[in-house]
Amino acid sequence: MVMKVRNIYLFVVLFLMGFENLNFPGDVPEGSERTSKTLIVNGDFEQPHWQYAYGQPWRDEMKSTGMYAVPGEKIMVTVPVDVLNKGVKVLIGVHLDDLSRKENPKRDPIVTARKELVKEDVRKISRNMASIEFHNKYGGLIYMLIPTGSTLGDFEVTVSNAVKAPHFVLGEMTNEEWIEEHSKNPAPWAELETSKMILTLRSTHVRNMEDPIRLMEFWDRVLDADADLAGFDRESRARAERIAIDDEISMGWMHSGYPMMAYTEGVAANLVNYERLSTQGDWGFFHELGHNHQWMDWVLDGTTETSCNLFSIYVLEKVVGMEDGGHSAISPEAREERRRKHFENGAKLENWNVWVALETMLMVKEAFGWEPYTRMFQRYMTFTTRPKDNFEKIDWFVKYLSMETEHNLAPFFEYWGVPVSDSVENELKDYPVFENYFFSQ
């Protein structure tokens, strides 16, 4: 009865505030047991390179606890005293998008809450372990946040007075253990986790899942393919990528970041549909993950939505086994029409963006394979200086891609309306000029 009265009160308050979604991320089922969980958290973290800016490398690493805070109820977090005042925080809620600038959002603009673990807030100390209370009026999944530069090593965390969430961790449980125990945990939001990818979505999407191992091994292969193309070691990620589902997000249908965000409607089910993912892929998810792997100095003006699609196509080819690109915009007919229009309109740099620029980049890939791109991306990781403007960015891109293909690509890019400086043209003059079936006409 008390829970029902509290929910009615929350409903009235939110209704008066004018929000449509009156229970987000959601309460727990009536009668859900409040319990405790102790886990070991790795307190070492060095953020991803700042050049991977679309992946929000500045954000603290989120460590999942598999526990859910009931809306408005206090939880207790207990950690070693030595962890206090070191920048470690507790976060309640995964939905970090701020919707303050959106009209009539489907949820309250800010539904998460975080608290740094400091000595001043300690409620009790026992055997060198400090306990701190915290709550979020909206509730949500509970995380430990580890700041960049942290070297705390492994430490013990106990979360108390919270509800267990469906939480699968690849390598730590079997499908049978998931089905018989973990999938039945009552919290309304769930997570599926590997060392490379963590998926967060409503529990209803995963409760009947029978083979999370197969699904998450697939997502690991996706992340491995992204690492292969980007040119870094598969096991060297600073942190796992995250995809979180939300009823409304700050921009687009999905967007990159940490976490990468996507809508519930029409998207969430695809995130965990192995049969669909393994045969059709998902351009949207692969595209946004591509953004998280873009190194800013090789992202030319107008091509933010271009080079990320190299990763979409690469994953579709290498992991899913699709050779047709996986998107109607790069069908043979669409590509031919786009080329025709670009040159009819004078092949201007201002029009060399998104799909037009992708056409140029794909022609190089089709002539020389993926390896030159990977080797070029690796070159950029070694540079200690940066291009001063977009024209120098273009020079670098054309120059280093030419070196990796061992062909002079300057005339080819200039043909598309992409200007290359005289100095770079002179540097490349001894390479054979790249010509293909299109450029040579």
Side-chain angles (χ1 to χ4, degrees), residues 45 81 114-115 128 141 163 244 260 280 283 339 361 436:
F45 176 57
V81 172
R114 70 186 65 202
K115 183 182 186 69
N128 210 36
L141 289 167
V163 174
M260 200 185 98
Q280 303 176 39
W283 182 277
R339 290 193 295 262
M361 295 180 188
N436 68 357

Side-chain angles (χ1 to χ4, degrees), residues 130-254:
S131 297
I132 294 176
E133 288 184 334
F134 187 45
H135 79 283
N136 178 2
K137 63 182 177 180
Y138 301 102
L141 289 167
I142 302 168
Y143 302 89
M144 301 302 296
L145 298 182
I146 308 300
T148 187
S150 176
T151 57
L152 293 170
D154 291 345
F155 62 90
E156 182 178 286
V157 176
T158 298
V159 179
S160 306
N161 196 43
V163 174
K164 288 184 178 181
H167 184 205
F168 174 82
V169 182
L170 186 65
E172 294 187 9
M173 63 190 67
T174 65
N175 284 333
E176 290 71 27
E177 289 171 330
W178 161 258
I179 294 168
E180 294 172 7
E181 179 184 353
H182 300 279
S183 68
K184 294 180 171 62
N185 289 337
W189 288 82
E191 291 199 315
L192 308 175
E193 178 177 351
T194 82
S195 62
K196 299 170 184 177
M197 171 62 87
I198 304 172
L199 311 179
T200 309
L201 67 172
R202 291 184 188 274
S203 299
T204 51
H205 289 291
V206 302
R207 288 205 191 278
N208 296 323
M209 180 181 296
E210 296 182 350
D211 196 347
I213 291 177
R214 180 179 63 171
L215 173 72
M216 297 313 292
E217 285 178 344
F218 172 86
W219 278 110
D220 270 1
R221 291 195 297 275
V222 171
L223 271 294
D224 285 347
D226 283 335
D228 291 346
L229 182 58
F232 60 82
D233 185 85
R234 293 178 173 186
E235 308 304 321
S236 67
R237 291 185 178 277
R239 65 188 179 198
E241 298 288 347
R242 285 181 172 269
I243 301 178
I245 299 297
D246 198 337
D247 281 3
E248 186 161 355
I249 63 177
S250 58
M251 65 183 79
W253 189 239
M254 302 181 188

Side-chain angles (χ1 to χ4, degrees), residues 363-364 366-367 412 434-441:
M363 284 186 168
V364 176
E366 287 162 354
F412 175 69
F434 168 57
E435 295 185 4
N436 68 357
Y437 67 93
F438 174 73
F439 178 52
S440 61
Q441 291 178 356

Side-chain angles (χ1 to χ4, degrees), residues 13-280:
V13 170
L14 290 175
F15 177 78
L16 293 174
M17 291 172 68
F19 299 112
E20 296 178 12
N21 191 335
L22 305 178
N23 190 24
F24 186 91
D27 208 342
V28 299
E30 189 169 358
S32 297
E33 179 186 8
R34 277 61 166 172
T35 186
S36 299
K37 179 180 179 180
T38 298
L39 62 151
I40 301 299
V41 169
N42 182 352
D44 296 339
F45 176 57
E46 191 63 47
Q47 72 179 36
H49 198 287
W50 65 266
Q51 286 267 11
Y52 294 118
Y54 295 129
Q56 298 176 311
W58 55 85
R59 280 189 164 171
D60 294 344
E61 183 177 17
M62 299 168 61
K63 297 289 190 177
S64 301
T65 67
M67 299 291 278
Y68 190 90
V70 179
E73 292 188 8
K74 290 182 180 179
I75 64 168
M76 184 81 78
V77 177
T78 302
V79 299
V81 172
D82 291 345
V83 169
L84 301 176
N85 295 85
K86 299 292 178 62
V88 176
K89 307 173 189 71
V90 58
L91 168 70
I92 300 178
V94 70
H95 304 98
L96 297 175
D97 273 12
D98 182 350
L99 307 184
S100 299
R101 296 185 179 181
K102 301 198 77 171
E103 295 184 5
N104 301 316
K106 293 181 179 179
R107 63 161 173 83
D108 199 330
I110 299 176
V111 295
T112 62
R114 70 186 65 202
K115 183 182 186 69
E116 186 170 353
L117 302 182
V118 296
K119 295 177 181 178
E120 290 79 3
D121 293 330
V122 172
R123 294 299 301 271
K124 65 178 182 179
I125 295 178
S126 177
R127 295 181 179 179
N128 210 36
M129 298 293 288
S131 297
I132 294 176
E133 288 184 334
F134 187 45
H135 79 283
N136 178 2
K137 63 182 177 180
Y138 301 102
L141 289 167
I142 302 168
Y143 302 89
M144 301 302 296
L145 298 182
I146 308 300
T148 187
S150 176
T151 57
L152 293 170
D154 291 345
F155 62 90
E156 182 178 286
V157 176
T158 298
V159 179
S160 306
N161 196 43
V163 174
K164 288 184 178 181
H167 184 205
F168 174 82
V169 182
L170 186 65
E172 294 187 9
M173 63 190 67
T174 65
N175 284 333
E176 290 71 27
E177 289 171 330
W178 161 258
I179 294 168
E180 294 172 7
E181 179 184 353
H182 300 279
S183 68
K184 294 180 171 62
N185 289 337
W189 288 82
E191 291 199 315
L192 308 175
E193 178 177 351
T194 82
S195 62
K196 299 170 184 177
M197 171 62 87
I198 304 172
L199 311 179
T200 309
L201 67 172
R202 291 184 188 274
S203 299
T204 51
H205 289 291
V206 302
R207 288 205 191 278
N208 296 323
M209 180 181 296
E210 296 182 350
D211 196 347
I213 291 177
R214 180 179 63 171
L215 173 72
M216 297 313 292
E217 285 178 344
F218 172 86
W219 278 110
D220 270 1
R221 291 195 297 275
V222 171
L223 271 294
D224 285 347
D226 283 335
D228 291 346
L229 182 58
F232 60 82
D233 185 85
R234 293 178 173 186
E235 308 304 321
S236 67
R237 291 185 178 277
R239 65 188 179 198
E241 298 288 347
R242 285 181 172 269
I243 301 178
I245 299 297
D246 198 337
D247 281 3
E248 186 161 355
I249 63 177
S250 58
M251 65 183 79
W253 189 239
M254 302 181 188
H255 70 71
S256 58
Y258 182 78
M260 200 185 98
M261 301 301 298
Y263 272 90
T264 299
E265 185 177 354
V267 176
N270 295 340
L271 184 63
V272 291
N273 186 338
Y274 173 79
E275 285 72 19
R276 182 181 185 275
L277 287 168
S278 62
T279 57
Q280 303 176 39

Side-chain angles (χ1 to χ4, degrees), residues 386-417:
R386 302 190 62 200
K388 63 180 181 293
D389 56 29
N390 188 56
F391 292 107
E392 190 165 26
K393 270 190 173 185
I394 292 171
D395 271 358
W396 286 25
F397 192 94
V398 174
K399 173 183 174 179
Y400 295 119
L401 191 56
S402 293
M403 289 180 174
E404 296 303 341
T405 62
E406 297 183 345
H407 281 73
N408 182 357
L409 301 178
F412 175 69
F413 275 88
E414 290 173 326
Y415 187 69
W416 282 88

